[in-house]
Amino acid sequence: MNIFRLTGDLSHLAAIVILLLKIWKTRSCAGISGKSQLLFALVFTTRYLDLFTSFISLYNTSMKVIYIACSYATVYLIYMKFKATYDGNHDTFRVEFLVVPVGGLSFLVNHDFSPLEILWTFSIYLESVAILPQLFMISKTGEAETITTHYLFFLGLYRALYLVNWIWRFYFEGFFDLIAVVAGVVQTILYCDFFYLYITKVLKGKKLSLPAYISGSGRTRGKEPEGFCLMHLALSFFITLYKDFFTQRNLMLY
């Protein structure tokens, strides 16, 4: 195992621990998207089904079990134990617009047309966009708590380190997985401007604010941050998609 994969795994683990501690210590899941956490639970469940079929190493197995257990623990805290603090009014991203296309793509583009391979591919594609409900929620509220931004930073850092890991493996092991690399690039792009805002604002003690989403009346909510925002483009795309879909569906009813 190279240093980039190890630090990537540790960064991923740090993100999960930060989120769990945030919820447990504050006894609140305010500002956390339950839908993103459900998607991550689905990601780990479909990716690590090989726990029952193969053994690589104790480290590998342990990390898989930890990821699955922590993801479901987070979902439990949000939807069960601290359900009263969950802000469902702002967590309104329509996840079917992610799951359905990703599911179809995993059937069309994969390494091998077998159940485990299709589910693994599905998890790779889904992970690349699973954070969108969380970003959408922050965009609607206009800002994020500092601890939530730490969680997002380490989550983005994990994916960025894994991209370097793929480069390292290509040059030193001759291994290249196009599906994982493309999905990783997409996921990292969504975090690029977040990294900038995190370094220029959060690390200086300021609150992080994302571009406000455009409401149905065409008015923006909240203040726009400085600079160009790639996340804003992604969120705007899905907002437009929602509007077009429901407009067309309503027209078909008449």
Side-chain angles (χ1 to χ4, degrees), residues 24-41:
W24 188 258
K25 283 190 174 183
T26 62
R27 318 296 287 182
S28 169
C29 54
I32 303 299
S33 169
K35 291 186 176 183
S36 268
Q37 298 309 312
L38 281 172
L39 291 179
F40 281 123

Side-chain angles (χ1 to χ4, degrees), residues 9-204:
D9 287 343
L10 293 178
S11 177
H12 195 182
L13 186 60
I16 293 172
V17 171
I18 287 172
L19 183 63
L20 283 171
L21 288 178
K22 184 268 182 191
I23 296 175
W24 188 258
K25 283 190 174 183
T26 62
R27 318 296 287 182
S28 169
C29 54
I32 303 299
S33 169
K35 291 186 176 183
S36 268
Q37 298 309 312
L38 281 172
L39 291 179
F40 281 123
L42 182 58
V43 165
F44 297 135
T45 301
T46 53
R47 181 175 302 171
Y48 299 140
L49 289 174
D50 61 350
L51 277 170
F52 303 102
T53 60
S54 62
F55 177 82
I56 299 175
S57 67
L58 181 60
Y59 171 84
N60 183 274
T61 299
S62 299
M63 292 301 284
K64 289 178 179 179
V65 172
I66 290 173
Y67 288 153
I68 293 174
C70 288
S71 65
Y72 280 100
T74 305
V75 170
Y76 167 75
L77 293 178
I78 294 174
Y79 287 101
M80 299 293 290
K81 190 170 182 64
F82 302 122
K83 182 179 180 180
T85 65
Y86 170 55
D87 188 7
N89 292 328
H90 285 132
D91 193 16
T92 56
F93 193 97
R94 299 293 298 273
V95 295
E96 60 266 34
F97 282 93
L98 299 178
V99 176
V100 174
V102 162
L105 185 60
S106 64
F107 273 94
L108 296 174
V109 184
N110 52 66
H111 295 306
D112 180 51
F113 198 78
S114 63
L116 284 180
E117 189 64 30
I118 290 173
L119 288 172
W120 177 86
T121 306
F122 170 80
S123 75
I124 295 296
Y125 293 151
L126 184 60
E127 186 184 21
S128 68
V129 293
I131 199 61
L132 281 176
Q134 179 66 66
L135 300 179
F136 184 69
M137 186 177 184
I138 295 175
S139 183
K140 289 189 72 174
T141 58
E143 61 183 16
E145 294 181 15
T146 300
I147 192 68
T148 304
T149 62
H150 293 331
Y151 159 71
L152 291 172
F153 173 78
F154 280 102
L155 200 59
L157 181 61
Y158 137 71
R159 180 44 62 187
L161 287 169
Y162 252 67
L163 281 182
V164 183
N165 161 62
W166 295 124
I167 296 173
W168 190 94
R169 293 191 66 183
F170 175 74
Y171 278 101
F172 293 96
E173 300 178 9
F175 179 84
F176 182 75
D177 189 326
L178 183 61
I179 289 177
V181 170
V182 171
V185 169
V186 170
Q187 188 174 357
T188 305
I189 287 175
L190 291 177
Y191 285 96
C192 282
D193 56 328
F194 173 81
F195 288 145
Y196 169 78
L197 294 173
Y198 182 86
I199 293 172
T200 58
K201 292 184 179 295
V202 179
L203 294 184
K204 293 183 179 180

